[in-house]
Amino acid sequence: MKKLEPIDERPYRPCVGLMVFNHLGYVFSGQRLDNPKNAWQLPQGGIDEGESPIQAGFRELEEETSIKSVIFIAEYPEWIKYEVPTNLANNLWNGKYRGQTQKWLLFHFKGDDKEININTHHPEFINWL
């Protein structure tokens, strides 16, 4: 078993959080399959090496939802950091991170709902509203 760095010495995982709204003002949210407490969240995902937050936002949105018909609206100016409990940090991301630092992005969905396909390689999502 790999020895893990002490939790307070681990970096934060850079990622994006995505808020997507449609012409009615509804926001896209997903219910997680991997949480028995009826947990919901907005799409999010890691930022790859050399990728800007906006590039990661477009990529993650397409990977998780198949959505391509969006217009970038705004980026929250600051990074938001949070830590996860140590037992989770030791199991998530191969124990490399203490939590995440997120850049939140806002997109306007201009497509048809038929474009949305959650049958992607992200099985943690069961339902989108």
Side-chain angles (χ1 to χ4, degrees), residues 65-69 109 111-118:
T65 67
S66 301
I67 291 176
K68 294 181 186 178
S69 301
F109 177 57
D112 187 274
D113 287 351
K114 292 179 200 143
E115 177 179 336
I116 301 168
N117 177 8
I118 60 167

Side-chain angles (χ1 to χ4, degrees), residues 13-37:
R13 176 180 178 254
C15 71
V16 289
L18 310 170
M19 181 176 283
V20 181
F21 69 96
N22 67 10
H23 68 285
L24 298 173
Y26 293 142
V27 175
F28 196 76
S29 179
Q31 185 178 21
R32 295 191 64 95
L33 279 176
D34 62 357
N35 189 315
K37 297 190 189 281

Side-chain angles (χ1 to χ4, degrees), residues 70-94:
V70 290
I71 297 171
F72 170 72
I73 302 295
E75 176 179 349
Y76 188 72
E78 297 177 28
W79 290 89
I80 300 172
K81 291 181 182 178
Y82 69 90
E83 296 182 8
V84 297
T86 301
N87 64 319
L88 286 177
N90 289 341
N91 292 303
L92 294 172
W93 315 298
N94 295 318

